[in-house]
Amino acid sequence: MAARKLFHPPSILPLAGLFVLTLGLTLLGTLTRPIESLSLFWPINAILLGLLLRQASLATPPGWLAIYLGMVAADLLTGNDLLTALWLNACNMGLLLTAWYLMVHLPGQPRLEHPLALLHLLLACAAGAAVAASLACTMDGARWFDGTLQTTWLSWFTEQFSTCLLILPALLTAPRSWHRPNLHELRLLRALPLLALLASLAAGLVIGGPGALAFPVPALLWCALRYRLFTLAVLTMLTGLVEIVGVAGSLTFYGVAQHSLDDSALMSARLGISMLVMGPLVVAVATTINRQLLERLEHRANHDTLTGALMRNALAQQTSALLERRRQQPGSSPLSLLMIDIDHFKAINDTHGHAMGDQVLRTFAAELRQQLRQGELFGRLGGEEFAVVLPGANRVEALHIAERLRATVERLQFPLADGGTLRITVSIGVATLGEREYDLPLEQALLRADMALYQAKAQGRNRVMMAEERPD
């Protein structure tokens, strides 16, 4: 017998991509930083940390090595000697490893979906920045800015800590797939919080003074209540960047003249800005958690726990809303109803047990949901009886859909404990509502489909019957 492999080397392509990404980001950061100083804003570590937290498969020893080599190569290409490049980037790796380990092992998830996620993020960023700053102070000639080791440590710590706090929330909450923006979100009322944020930043430029740093907070809190968490995280990141760059670069921005801007003022501004944006993020996380909880509660209240289909009351409400819209729009497309009954379902429970009956219901419901289009409703009326509402389907289309569903169910197979296979069939009654029936409640609207279902069962089951069309 061949020996089983205990180690599966990672694909070279992701590692090469990680190396190239690190090299490019580091070169960009190095070439854009002020001459003979540490970077005012060094986002590389935060970007890589967010990537490793989102793509766990990259956080392997080869992945960490690819990142380190990419950083070292960038420093060598920009003129640093080998020893300096190795040690400077050991500081960066210290931040990455420390913050990544804490984010992964602290309770909750690293995607800010846990009530304590922001606290964990703050602790991880602080610990990682402290490790990086401490390693930097052990270098030969580590007293940058003609200052002390204390100044060096605080400069490293505040830059890394504030940058991670500003960038990581946006990276960790970014959706995995891009969806076209909802036009509703582009309306003026939805844009008012964003306009207020822009106005507050402009007011800070005009009024000035240290208190101007806090001007965007009310607008950010408004954004936290109106926008998704990812949108708010992007806005807080951009707001923080604007304020940090403004404090460091403008002659009179926020009342601090450039000639008087010493290291302690910049460090204080960095920390203050990063702390200010934490408040709106806390509000956004709490709002998101509450919204998700309400959505789960609403889903449980409206959906059958076994099959996931709409419960009778929820189906009635949504069908009534569809009928009401058609009643208010004469000449609109028709609406058809299907009544579906699993044939001889009681015999399945009696012969194979209720566990098999539940499995039949779950599989049957899942298969029907896959066959239906968006906007079509699927509900459980009770027991083995289900209903489907087809907005826009005329008699011919409804009959075709019903026959397709019947054939789909007929192909289902359920393995039994004795090695055999259980197969099921359904009977379906179809009715298309005319305009005069749009004001009927669901029970009366289903009556014609129910009568057609009765005919299908009377004629031998496993068939589709169309209700007679009522004359206008």
Side-chain angles (χ1 to χ4, degrees):
M1 181 182 296
R4 184 170 55 185
K5 289 186 178 180
L6 299 178
F7 176 72
H8 299 276
S11 173
I12 193 65
L13 187 59
L15 296 179
L18 193 57
F19 172 84
V20 172
L21 175 64
T22 305
L23 177 65
L25 289 174
T26 308
L27 283 174
L28 180 63
T30 302
L31 295 175
T32 56
R33 70 188 181 190
I35 299 174
E36 296 182 355
S37 72
L38 293 179
S39 177
L40 171 67
F41 189 77
W42 186 260
I44 291 86
N45 292 338
I47 294 173
L48 292 173
L49 179 57
L51 176 64
L52 293 171
L53 290 171
R54 294 294 297 267
Q55 299 292 332
S57 60
L58 297 176
T60 60
W64 295 111
L65 181 60
I67 291 175
Y68 183 58
L69 293 178
M71 291 180 175
V72 171
D75 269 353
L76 293 177
L77 289 174
T78 53
N80 276 333
D81 61 86
L82 179 60
L83 184 60
T84 301
L86 291 173
W87 194 250
L88 275 175
N89 292 296
C91 302
N92 292 327
M93 294 303 295
L95 181 145
L96 290 175
L97 287 165
T98 303
W100 175 86
Y101 180 86
L102 290 177
M103 286 294 292
V104 169
H105 290 87
L106 283 171
Q109 305 179 50
R111 291 204 62 196
L112 304 189
E113 297 173 353
H114 188 273
L116 297 178
L118 278 176
L119 176 60
H120 297 164
L121 176 64
L122 188 147
L123 293 174
C125 292
V131 169
S134 300
L135 290 173
C137 288
T138 63
M139 294 178 59
D140 290 335
R143 301 186 182 188
W144 284 285
F145 317 108
D146 296 326
T148 63
L149 285 177
Q150 179 183 359
T151 303
T152 298
W153 192 94
L154 288 174
S155 296
W156 273 82
F157 175 83
T158 56
E159 191 283 323
Q160 294 292 328
F161 177 66
S162 60
T163 302
C164 287
L165 278 187
L166 290 175
I167 292 181
L168 276 177
L171 296 178
L172 297 180
T173 58
R176 293 188 178 274
S177 57
W178 177 257
H179 300 283
R180 188 172 60 181
N182 189 339
L183 293 180
H184 174 69
E185 296 187 355
L186 301 180
R187 295 176 182 174
L188 178 60
L189 290 178
R190 293 285 295 178
L192 285 178
L194 176 59
L195 295 176
L197 177 61
L198 296 176
S200 65
L201 288 171
L205 286 170
V206 173
I207 299 174
L213 290 175
F215 282 8
V217 172
L220 285 174
L221 290 173
W222 190 7
C223 293
L225 296 174
R226 297 300 300 272
Y227 298 148
R228 294 179 301 168
L229 179 56
F230 170 64
T231 303
L232 189 276
V234 172
L235 292 177
T236 57
M237 178 183 68
L238 295 177
T239 300
L241 294 182
V242 168
E243 292 193 335
I244 288 176
V245 173
V247 168
S250 179
L251 291 177
T252 58
F253 197 69
Y254 298 132
V256 181
Q258 189 173 13
H259 64 269
S260 65
L261 181 64
D262 57 15
D263 299 325
S264 61
L266 181 57
M267 289 184 287
S268 177
R270 282 171 172 166
L271 289 178
I273 292 168
S274 60
M275 292 296 101
L276 283 176
V277 301
M278 287 295 290
L281 282 172
V282 170
V283 173
V285 169
T287 302
T288 300
I289 293 173
N290 289 337
R291 186 183 300 118
Q292 292 173 348
L293 177 59
L294 290 175
E295 290 174 353
R296 287 196 295 268
L297 291 175
E298 183 179 2
H299 186 273
R300 289 188 178 184
N302 293 332
H303 292 78
D304 176 55
T305 56
L306 178 63
T307 64
L310 289 169
M311 296 178 69
R312 180 186 286 267
N313 289 339
L315 180 65
Q317 292 176 359
Q318 296 189 30
T319 304
S320 298
L322 289 173
L323 293 173
E324 176 65 19
R325 286 196 292 271
R326 278 161 172 73
R327 187 181 67 82
Q328 295 177 356
Q329 299 175 359
S332 60
S333 57
L335 182 144
S336 296
L337 303 171
L338 311 183
M339 282 282 288
I340 306 174
D341 186 89
I342 300 178
D343 297 327
H344 305 296
F345 184 74
K346 185 176 183 301
I348 295 175
N349 280 333
D350 293 342
T351 304
H352 305 288
H354 288 279
M356 175 55 70
D358 289 347
Q359 179 60 38
V360 167
L361 290 173
R362 280 194 295 267
T363 304
F364 161 80
E367 190 65 31
L368 255 65
R369 281 198 303 273
Q370 291 182 0
Q371 297 293 323
L372 297 177
R373 297 170 297 185
Q374 185 176 5
E376 297 174 342
L377 306 180
F378 173 55
R380 184 182 183 186
L381 302 179
E384 68 275 18
E385 282 192 339
F386 296 82
V388 174
V389 181
L390 304 172
N394 58 31
R395 288 172 59 86
V396 175
E397 293 169 336
L399 187 64
H400 174 75
I401 293 172
E403 182 59 36
R404 175 166 53 82
L405 295 179
R406 185 205 63 79
T408 297
V409 173
E410 191 177 28
R411 291 193 294 269
L412 294 177
Q413 298 184 27
F414 301 88
L416 300 173
D418 60 4
T421 300
L422 171 67
R423 306 177 76 105
I424 64 171
T425 60
V426 293
S427 301
I428 304 177
V430 185
T432 299
L433 301 184
E435 288 190 17
R436 292 189 302 174
E437 299 171 287
Y438 287 168
D439 58 349
L440 294 177
L442 177 64
E443 300 300 333
Q444 295 185 32
L446 284 173
L447 183 59
R448 289 176 55 216
D450 192 34
M451 294 174 61
L453 172 63
Y454 178 80
Q455 295 176 2
K457 297 176 82 65
Q459 295 187 21
R461 294 181 170 85
N462 191 24
R463 65 189 63 231
V464 175
M465 292 295 295
M466 172 65 73
E468 295 182 1
E469 186 173 10
R470 288 188 175 183
D472 292 335

